[in-house]
């Protein structure tokens, strides 16, 4: 039965519908990091319901991907959002000015930069060696570095 | 600022101490260790004399070993987890 549900999902993904609901996509994209495990079940249930209603819509972020329990695929957009989110949570950074150089514009020092890089390591789940970590001075550079390491390109 | 030759050593000591401190199972020890490490490094930020820097680094290494030992002991005798403790 799970196989049949998954087949329906894949078929509904392959048929892009003109009645795409942009609100739902935005909601799902926002909620993506938190509910990755529940996603296969939730959009499986959704796609079955919508089939019965005679509509079909793409109920994922638009990429044809299997999500049996793996994390959602990284894109430059999602990496950037997560990096900025972590930076906004940091006490010493003013949330409005968050996209500038750490040392020159925001007045942080190297100890703060170490803490920021550690927060990034926790967020993305992989180690960043010290030699490369001390060169990352703006959010842009962090996004580029993570995209390099995770083979994300567009 | 700290001496240029040992700057990266200080940075890596800071990082290792923060990492070890965040492994404490007990909320109290963990928050205290993190706060204390941050405050100590920030207070000694402007020390110029290389001998003083050297002495502080040695003290830091000993503290790092202490934190590592206490983390292992804490993990051996873990108390009931409360809501506050990290998973």
């Amino acid at each position: 039965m799970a196989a049949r549900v998954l087949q329906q999902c894949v078929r509904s993904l392959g048929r892009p519908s003109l009645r795409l609901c942009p609100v739902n996509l935005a909601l799902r994209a926002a909620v993506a990091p938190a509910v990755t495990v529940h996603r296969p079940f939730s959009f499986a249930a959704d796609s079955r319901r919508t089939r019965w209603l005679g509509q079909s819509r793409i109920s994922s972020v638009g990429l044809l991907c299997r999500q049996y329990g793996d994390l959602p695929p990284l894109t430059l957009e999602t990496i950037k959002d997560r990096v900025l989110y972590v930076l906004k949570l940091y006490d010493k950074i003013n949330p409005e000015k968050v996209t500038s150089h750490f040392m020159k514009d925001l007045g942080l020092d190297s100890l703060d930069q170490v803490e920021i890089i550690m927060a990034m390591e926790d967020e993305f789940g992989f180690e960043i060696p010290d030699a490369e970590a001390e060169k990352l001075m703006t959010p842009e550079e962090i996004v580029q570095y993570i995209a390099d390491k995770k083979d994300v390109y567009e | 600022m700290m001496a240029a030759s040992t700057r990266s050593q200080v940075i890596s000591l800071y990082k290792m101490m923060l990492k070890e401190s965040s492994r404490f199972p007990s909320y109290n020890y963990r928050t205290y260790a993190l706060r204390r490490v941050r405050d100590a490094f920030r207070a000694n930020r402007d020390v110029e004399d290389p001998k003083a820097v050297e002495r502080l680094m040695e003290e830091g290494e000993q503290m790092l070993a202490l934190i590592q030992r206490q983390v292992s002991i804490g993990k051996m005798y873990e108390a009931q987890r409360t809501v506050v403790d990290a998973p």
Side-chain angles (χ1 to χ4, degrees), chain A residues 14-60:
Chain A
R15 274 179 282 140
S17 158
L18 291 175
R19 279 168 290 175
L20 265 184
C21 193
V23 176
N24 271 347
L25 274 183
L27 274 181
R28 282 194 190 282
V31 140
V35 289
T36 53
V37 179
H38 301 296
R39 251 224 247 155
F41 300 103
S42 68
F43 74 66
D46 280 350
S47 75
R48 283 181 61 194
R49 214 183 310 130
T50 56
R51 264 179 74 87
W52 294 337
L53 291 176
Q55 298 175 1
S56 71
R57 60 190 170 98
I58 296 181
S59 46
S60 80

Side-chain angles (χ1 to χ4, degrees), chain B residues 8-27:
Chain B
S8 51
Q9 287 176 356
V10 173
I11 299 285
S12 52
L13 179 67
Y14 184 59
K15 196 165 177 180
M16 285 179 65
M17 287 181 91
L18 286 182
K19 273 214 171 86
E20 267 315 299
S21 302
S22 59
R23 291 180 61 215
F24 269 112
S26 148
Y27 170 77

Side-chain angles (χ1 to χ4, degrees), chain A residues 109 112 115 121 128 130, chain B residues 12 14-15 38 42 45:
Chain A
D109 67 351
D112 296 319
E115 290 182 28
E121 285 182 0
I128 302 179
D130 287 346
Chain B
S12 52
Y14 184 59
K15 196 165 177 180
R38 285 197 186 116
R42 210 158 289 283
R45 227 172 61 158

Side-chain angles (χ1 to χ4, degrees), chain B residues 17-65:
Chain B
M17 287 181 91
L18 286 182
K19 273 214 171 86
E20 267 315 299
S21 302
S22 59
R23 291 180 61 215
F24 269 112
S26 148
Y27 170 77
N28 293 323
Y29 291 164
R30 187 170 59 240
T31 34
Y32 173 73
L34 284 170
R35 192 172 60 231
R36 186 74 184 91
V37 165
R38 285 197 186 116
D39 288 350
F41 271 83
R42 210 158 289 283
N44 295 325
R45 227 172 61 158
D46 299 320
V47 173
E48 294 286 349
D49 177 28
K51 278 203 286 275
V53 170
E54 188 67 41
R55 204 166 14 93
L56 287 169
M57 286 291 288
E58 276 173 21
E59 196 182 314
E61 300 274 345
Q62 287 172 357
M63 287 298 123
L64 174 63

Side-chain angles (χ1 to χ4, degrees), chain A residues 9 28 37 44 48 69 75 83 99 107 109-111 114 127 131 133 138 146 151:
Chain A
C9 295
R28 282 194 190 282
V37 179
R48 283 181 61 194
T75 62
V83 166
T99 52
D109 67 351
S110 49
L111 298 178
V114 168
E127 290 263 335
T138 78
I146 295 175
D151 290 332

